[in-house]
Amino acid sequence: MSTKIEKLVFEDKIIEAKQLLEKLSNPQITLSDSIEVYKTGIKELEEAQKLLDEAKLIFTTQEKN
């Protein structure tokens, strides 16, 4: 996967997490919907963190070489 594609995927996950946060801020959201939105948001953020960790590992490895 190229760095440009990884960047786009990371940005997409952050945008999705922000949109989910906006949904949670809606006072009309039901409890069951809020639980599902929360779970999805956590998943998006965990995947974004994984991408950051992988990029950091690659950067650190290349820096040592």
Side-chain angles (χ1 to χ4, degrees), residues 1-16 51:
M1 189 181 298
S2 77
T3 304
K4 186 174 183 178
I5 292 172
E6 287 175 354
K7 182 180 178 193
L8 291 175
V9 170
F10 174 78
E11 289 175 354
D12 288 344
K13 294 198 173 300
I14 297 301
I15 290 169
E16 179 68 20
L51 288 169

Side-chain angles (χ1 to χ4, degrees), residues 49-61:
Q49 183 63 51
K50 183 179 175 186
L51 288 169
L52 278 178
D53 292 343
E54 289 172 1
K56 183 179 178 182
L57 179 63
I58 291 168
F59 179 76
T60 303
T61 303

Side-chain angles (χ1 to χ4, degrees), residues 5-54:
I5 292 172
E6 287 175 354
K7 182 180 178 193
L8 291 175
V9 170
F10 174 78
E11 289 175 354
D12 288 344
K13 294 198 173 300
I14 297 301
I15 290 169
E16 179 68 20
K18 285 182 181 179
Q19 291 171 345
L20 292 168
L21 181 58
E22 289 174 12
K23 287 182 183 179
L24 284 175
S25 299
N26 181 348
Q28 302 299 319
I29 193 168
T30 64
L31 179 59
S32 61
D33 286 345
S34 66
I35 291 170
E36 287 306 311
V37 169
Y38 176 80
K39 287 179 183 177
T40 304
I42 292 298
K43 180 182 172 200
E44 293 294 327
L45 291 174
E46 286 174 348
E47 290 174 1
Q49 183 63 51
K50 183 179 175 186
L51 288 169
L52 278 178
D53 292 343
E54 289 172 1

